Amino acid sequence: MAESAEVSHAPGHDDHHHEESFWSKYVFSTDHKMIAMQYMFTGMAMALIGGFFAYAFRMQLAFPGMDVPFFGTVSPADYNSLVTNHGTIMIFWVAMPVLIAAFGNYLIPLMIGCDDMVFPRINRLSYQIFLLSAIVLIASFFVPGGGFGGAWTSYPPLSAKPEYNLTPLGATLWLVAVALEFVAFLLGGINFITTAMNARAKGMKLYDIPMVIWMIVVASILFMASVGPLIAGAVMLFMDQNVGTAFFDPDKGGDPVLWQHLFWFFGHPEVYVVLLPALGIVAEIITTFSRKKLFAYRTVLYTVFGTGILSFTVWAHHQFIAGVDPRMAHVFTVTTLLISVPIAEMCFVYIATLYGGSITLNTPMLWALAFIGEFLIGGVTGIFLGASGADIYLHDTYFVLAHFHYTFYPIAIIGTYAGFTYWFPKMFGKMMDDRLGRIHFWLTIIPFNLIFIPLFFLGAAGQHRRIYNYEHFPDLQGPLMLGFTYQDFREIATYSLLVMLGAQVIFFYNVIKSWISGEAAGNNPWKANSLEWVATSPPPHGNFSEELEVFRGPYEYSHPDRDEDYWPQNEPA
Amino acid sequence: MAFRPIANTRSASGIPTAKLATWWVVGSEIVIFGGLLASYIMHRLAHDAWSEQAAHTNVYIGLFNTFVLLSSSLSAVLAHKAAEEGNGAKAAKLLYYTMGGALIFVLVKSAEWTMEITHGFTITSSTFWSFYYTAAGLHAVHVIAGAIIMGIVAADAKKNQELHRVELIGIYWHFVDIVWIFLFPLLYIAK
Amino acid sequence: MLEKFFDDGHGHTSYVKVWVLLLVLLLISFVGPFLEIQAVTLITAFGIAVVKAFIVAKYFMHITMEKRFVTYIMVTLLVFMFLFFAGTAPDVMKHEGSGWEKPAWKAELTATHDGHGGHEADHH
């Protein structure tokens, strides 16, 4: 695929040396920064759709049967479609494009000191395919039968047989959208990996690469290496849906558990695909705002590689109750508990980096610190689910749901806000309003915890997921704890969600206000070391006015021999 | 000259950028075919009845197609050699031979499938036949895509332009060949 | 080991010689099953496929002339596929487990026990 796009471009075509029209500058640009912004804002728009879906089904859960404002009555089929597409959108159309594609595109060329991605036109193609996939997904909500409602994991036979899922067209379009999205990220990922491997500025050795770049590259490799079986699986599922084969139909000689393996062999590394960039963003922020060197750079790097390899050995812990071989379940329990070690180590490394630093508590730093704390809760609750015995009780309850929201929310939302507020001065040349930023932070982080902590208790008390109306289950209605009933907890979660969604208005107001009338940022407002801060803000097409040379690692803060507390990578000794 | 960023001309890893990316493409294909073939093999090992189905595949056609693909790989590697010597015209001629091989492969495959389908072995006949058509079909898609890209590379090579791409399309082509080297015993020989 | 054999007399690889060897190997893998010994079939079919793949990778793709890490990456990806196989096969290769069964496969097994010829009827 990589060659085809490169080769097919006619020689002699060059749209970069003359005045650019609106279309070539904003829509068909090959500039990595513009493509990053396209990914960023498409991802944010999709996040609004995903958030709206969450609003609709949370309202239904808290107030069953009500006429939800801006949506209407949520029917059971709507409910299934809403939860399915909420999950799909938030993982594939928000976390992936924003964390990997947007930050990867923006940061890789700037932080390694080159003018663009190595294959700018493949980069543009990648975004165009991604946009197409988003359009296909959105279209799937409006086809006859409605959007696909078989959960984001799309287990057959529910996903394979129209007589079960009742959404033949929706299910197929969902699958096509996901497959297109994989193609987009394969193109983008190979571009990222190649760029970081080959296009580094003169003098930048492997250990001089900022941690966020390493992590985005490792994440791209993990994606590339894990998605293959799922692409094969998607082809097979597509045939099951539309041609009449029976790869996943046990009545005709297939095996539904095979799909689960194909899916989770990708699905588990996928968690690390989005986690690693977020961890990298946090590493950049906490070193800058505690004015300290990253604790144990090399150890962190080896840990990242170790985590990447281990992440391929844990996938079946999602399937403990699917009837997998109990002996294999033991193996997967052990590997799952093992993989918590490197991640825990990473948290300790970050805390050690903070220790004794001179800490600035501004908006990006608050998000970064919140990431560590909240992700810790997600990680610790994962231990219960990784142990096959405990998982039999907890599986498919709200405990699982709360657990993965405590991992994915810090990754996709907190990590994104951390990175966005930290690099905003570089992206738009203006400073963000820090006071509004902090108000937005607190109004997001407190409701977030109030949404999901009640769900832990509900899940531990046995509340099953995938139930449309809990009024039908008298066992799940009575008193739960502290004088509250189950229903009270559901309502607390829903009210908190409303507050959290409302608080996002502050963010968008802040972005627009700062973009228009913010204080000029200058090249290096945070006094940070890495190369992107050498370029003007925002950087022009081509990024740097001269070729850079790198002399040291990116985390030389508070060096004892220097008057200034930072030491840019490109400054000669 | 097409627009080329400075980034594209650097090679910190020691491998030219385009070739490095080609290897990564090959890597991503390994896992796609790997997942499919692993799924097939585990079914095949478990189901004794599948060998009787496999007995209906035509081993002579498989043999001929393997011969065609191996030979097309030979002309692809000879094209690479010609390109290295700077002989673009010869490289283009050899690439056209390879494309001819791809054409023969696809035509023979269509005839074979037509024969099998008329004998009642369709993609829905049994899971063996589902895997047979899916695996060979996915491979055939790669053959067709490779041949199209090869045509573009050959057209450039003829004008002595972008000769390094002859090697890259060759690497991809040999990979498609290797996939078939495994598909041949899996689908045709093992009975 | 094969370098000498493939030498074209000028210190370069003779690709035609490589191709001839590949065809000879292909022929062996084709003839193997005619001996009707299963072990021989497996070796001639899959053992030779591995050898052929190795020869194509080395002499046509020139993977050994590349930086070492390319080989390592390709091998790692292959290892991941074996890992996938090892984790998945124990489930897929069973016709029943705790709380589930595969009806079609069980029917197939009963047919085999009842006598031969059940399959043909099943599949056509």
Side-chain angles (χ1 to χ4, degrees):
Chain A
M1 280 171 282
E3 311 95 352
S4 68
E6 193 200 353
V7 174
S8 62
H9 207 86
H13 176 82
D14 185 348
D15 50 8
H16 299 282
H17 293 167
H18 48 80
E19 193 69 18
E20 290 176 299
S21 70
F22 171 82
W23 288 97
S24 71
K25 188 170 178 198
Y26 295 106
V27 183
F28 296 106
S29 175
T30 53
D31 181 5
H32 71 99
K33 297 179 293 295
M34 188 52 67
I35 294 168
M37 288 301 116
Q38 290 170 341
Y39 267 119
M40 178 84 75
F41 289 111
T42 316
M44 284 185 178
M46 292 303 277
L48 291 178
I49 298 176
F52 176 71
F53 286 2
Y55 152 81
F57 66 72
R58 278 295 341 158
M59 290 298 271
Q60 159 65 22
L61 288 173
F63 314 106
M66 86 170 286
D67 189 19
V68 179
F70 310 112
F71 187 86
T73 319
V74 180
S75 73
D78 288 340
Y79 180 82
N80 286 340
S81 173
L82 287 171
V83 291
T84 300
N85 287 298
H86 167 75
T88 312
I89 287 176
M90 287 304 192
I91 289 172
F92 291 130
W93 278 272
V94 179
M96 293 279 295
V98 173
L99 281 167
I100 302 234
F103 282 113
N105 258 317
Y106 199 84
L107 297 177
I108 290 176
L110 278 168
M111 288 181 109
I112 65 173
C114 62
D115 58 342
D116 208 327
M117 286 286 174
V118 287
F119 305 121
R121 292 185 302 254
I122 290 183
N123 209 13
R124 176 178 60 187
L125 180 69
S126 155
Y127 174 72
Q128 288 165 345
I129 295 176
F130 170 76
L131 185 65
L132 178 67
S133 77
I135 292 168
V136 172
L137 185 79
I138 291 170
S140 82
F141 308 150
F142 300 104
V143 293
F148 177 54
W152 80 282
T153 51
S154 187
Y155 282 180
L158 183 58
S159 59
K161 290 195 161 185
E163 59 266 42
Y164 296 162
N165 60 41
L166 304 177
T167 55
L169 207 48
T172 299
L173 284 178
W174 182 92
L175 192 63
V176 169
V178 172
L180 280 173
E181 204 248 10
F182 290 160
V183 173
F185 286 129
L186 272 180
L187 291 172
I190 289 172
N191 212 345
F192 291 175
I193 300 166
T194 317
T195 306
M197 283 175 85
N198 255 0
R200 298 193 299 277
K202 192 177 161 200
M204 185 178 258
K205 295 189 283 294
L206 289 180
Y207 294 117
D208 298 336
I209 302 173
M211 200 43 82
V212 65
I213 302 303
W214 266 120
M215 293 205 185
I216 289 173
V217 169
V218 173
S220 304
I221 296 174
L222 289 186
F223 177 79
M224 195 215 77
S226 64
V227 79
L230 184 57
I231 291 180
V235 172
M236 287 150 79
L237 186 58
F238 185 86
M239 308 270 258
D240 270 14
Q241 287 175 344
N242 299 298
V243 182
T245 55
F247 289 112
F248 304 124
D249 183 355
D251 281 336
K252 292 184 195 154
D255 185 348
V257 176
L258 175 62
W259 166 267
Q260 300 186 11
H261 282 290
L262 290 164
F263 183 87
W264 287 114
F265 185 80
F266 161 77
H268 201 83
E270 164 72 11
V271 175
Y272 297 89
V273 169
V274 288
L275 167 64
L276 290 177
L279 274 174
I281 289 167
V282 171
E284 301 302 319
I285 295 172
I286 59 173
T287 47
T288 305
F289 292 122
S290 59
R291 315 308 293 168
K292 270 188 73 188
K293 207 169 174 155
L294 181 68
F295 187 86
Y297 177 99
R298 290 190 185 201
T299 312
V300 173
L301 189 54
Y302 303 148
T303 310
V304 170
F305 281 107
T307 313
I309 290 176
L310 260 183
S311 73
F312 282 89
T313 64
V314 301
W315 78 89
H317 65 215
H318 296 269
Q319 300 161 246
F320 286 148
I321 64 152
V324 298
D325 192 315
R327 291 162 298 182
M328 294 308 286
H330 283 297
V331 175
F332 284 108
T333 299
V334 172
T335 52
T336 305
L337 300 189
L338 268 182
I339 203 169
S340 60
V341 175
I343 297 299
E345 183 212 306
M346 213 89 89
C347 287
F348 284 125
V349 164
Y350 287 176
I351 292 166
T353 306
L354 291 165
Y355 181 77
S358 75
I359 291 174
T360 315
L361 269 186
N362 55 11
T363 317
M365 186 62 161
L366 281 174
W367 286 115
L369 295 177
F371 175 89
I372 300 172
E374 305 288 3
F375 188 79
L376 208 61
I377 300 177
V380 168
T381 50
I383 306 279
F384 299 93
L385 300 168
S388 58
D391 183 65
I392 289 172
Y393 174 72
L394 291 170
H395 195 95
D396 251 349
T397 67
Y398 268 69
F399 191 89
V400 177
L401 193 142
H403 155 70
F404 74 67
H405 279 88
Y406 259 103
T407 57
F408 267 100
Y409 190 94
I411 293 169
I413 310 296
I414 299 182
T416 301
Y417 280 141
F420 190 80
T421 49
Y422 179 66
W423 278 290
F424 185 88
K426 184 52 61 184
M427 290 170 177
F428 301 102
K430 303 282 179 66
M431 298 303 284
M432 271 186 114
D433 188 325
D434 200 52
R435 197 170 62 96
L436 276 179
R438 273 178 291 164
I439 293 171
H440 167 239
F441 168 79
W442 289 111
L443 282 180
T444 304
I445 218 73
I446 294 171
F448 158 64
N449 286 286
L450 286 177
I451 297 169
F452 292 107
I453 286 176
L455 300 189
F456 274 125
F457 290 108
L458 284 172
Q463 179 176 304
H464 197 277
R465 290 165 77 183
R466 313 191 202 284
I467 286 175
Y468 154 72
N469 183 349
Y470 286 95
E471 279 176 342
H472 303 152
F473 295 83
D475 288 358
L476 298 176
Q477 289 298 337
L480 178 60
M481 56 190 288
L482 305 170
F484 290 102
T485 62
Y486 282 80
Q487 192 61 29
D488 292 337
F489 269 47
R490 286 175 209 130
E491 285 173 24
I492 292 171
T494 301
Y495 285 128
S496 307
L497 176 77
L498 293 178
V499 174
M500 192 184 84
L501 288 178
Q504 305 318 305
V505 176
I506 304 173
F507 171 74
F508 286 105
Y509 170 72
N510 193 359
V511 169
I512 293 165
K513 180 186 137 211
S514 308
W515 196 346
I516 294 168
S517 62
E519 196 186 321
N523 287 0
N524 192 356
W526 309 127
K527 298 197 186 328
N529 288 341
S530 42
L531 294 178
E532 79 271 29
W533 303 105
V534 176
T536 47
S537 307
H541 198 151
N543 296 343
F544 302 102
S545 48
E546 52 185 356
E547 289 229 10
L548 299 177
E549 187 171 353
V550 171
F551 298 95
R552 63 189 63 77
Y555 302 115
E556 295 296 333
Y557 292 106
S558 308
H559 197 279
D561 302 340
R562 283 173 58 88
D563 298 336
E564 278 175 322
D565 71 345
Y566 68 113
W567 202 356
Q569 282 187 282
N570 66 323
E571 196 175 291
Chain B
M1 188 59 210
F3 169 73
R4 177 164 286 181
I6 299 164
N8 192 286
T9 60
R10 291 181 180 163
S11 92
S13 72
I15 299 182
T17 304
K19 203 203 255 187
L20 184 62
T22 311
W23 281 114
W24 281 108
V25 170
V26 169
S28 70
E29 299 279 3
I30 286 181
V31 283
I32 295 177
F33 282 104
L36 187 63
L37 293 187
S39 306
Y40 168 73
I41 293 169
M42 62 184 80
H43 277 93
R44 185 68 198 267
L45 287 175
H47 292 258
D48 294 334
W50 282 26
S51 2
E52 290 166 31
Q53 295 295 310
H56 295 290
T57 57
N58 189 327
V59 71
Y60 297 99
I61 296 181
L63 182 73
F64 177 75
N65 259 349
T66 316
F67 165 76
V68 169
L69 270 194
L70 286 175
S71 309
S72 73
S73 255
L74 173 69
S75 62
V77 78
L78 290 175
H80 168 210
K81 198 174 161 196
E84 267 185 343
E85 289 157 1
N87 191 344
K90 189 178 168 195
K93 197 177 75 180
L94 285 160
L95 284 182
Y96 290 134
Y97 289 161
T98 308
M99 289 167 67
L103 185 67
I104 296 172
F105 179 89
V106 172
L107 288 178
V108 170
K109 187 133 270 309
S110 331
E112 180 192 11
W113 282 15
T114 313
M115 215 163 71
E116 274 153 0
I117 291 168
T118 47
H119 280 76
F121 302 109
T122 65
I123 190 165
T124 52
S125 294
S126 76
T127 316
F128 168 78
W129 288 102
S130 304
F131 270 112
Y132 171 84
Y133 285 108
T134 308
L138 193 64
H139 177 262
V141 168
H142 282 79
V143 170
I144 294 166
I148 293 170
I149 300 166
M150 202 173 274
I152 300 165
V153 174
D156 274 347
K158 208 170 187 176
K159 293 177 258 168
N160 266 332
Q161 282 169 357
E162 311 281 2
L163 282 181
H164 70 284
R165 287 178 182 166
V166 175
E167 180 185 6
L168 308 182
I169 187 63
I171 289 175
Y172 172 84
W173 194 258
H174 301 313
F175 170 75
V176 174
D177 194 10
I178 288 180
V179 172
W180 184 259
I181 285 176
F182 285 104
L183 281 179
F184 173 58
L186 281 172
L187 298 178
Y188 293 90
I189 295 188
K191 303 259 151 107
Chain C
M1 58 183 176
L2 288 166
E3 274 83 358
K4 255 200 176 133
F5 175 71
F6 288 144
D7 199 289
D8 64 352
H10 308 285
H12 296 292
T13 315
S14 160
Y15 296 119
V16 177
K17 279 187 183 174
V18 178
W19 174 69
V20 169
L21 179 70
L22 284 171
L23 293 187
V24 170
L25 288 171
L26 172 63
L27 219 59
I28 297 174
S29 65
F30 170 71
V31 174
F34 289 95
L35 295 174
E36 298 200 336
I37 307 168
Q38 202 178 14
V40 175
T41 306
L42 285 178
I43 293 168
T44 54
F46 295 100
I48 284 186
V50 172
V51 174
K52 276 196 290 188
F54 173 78
I55 292 175
V56 171
K58 181 165 181 190
Y59 295 99
F60 283 178
M61 295 168 96
H62 302 120
I63 194 168
T64 49
M65 282 158 70
E66 219 62 85
K67 292 262 172 190
R68 278 283 176 77
F69 69 81
V70 174
T71 314
Y72 295 154
I73 291 165
M74 300 302 142
V75 171
T76 311
L77 292 171
L78 276 176
V79 169
F80 283 157
M81 288 301 101
F82 282 105
L83 210 62
F84 172 74
F85 187 91
T88 307
D91 297 329
V92 173
M93 290 174 68
K94 282 195 300 200
H95 59 275
E96 57 184 0
S98 55
W100 56 269
E101 59 171 20
K102 295 177 192 161
W105 193 355
K106 285 191 113 173
E108 195 179 284
L109 289 173
T110 349
T112 327
H113 282 298
D114 293 347
H116 235 59
H119 312 287
E120 301 290 320
D122 277 354
H123 293 296
H124 293 220

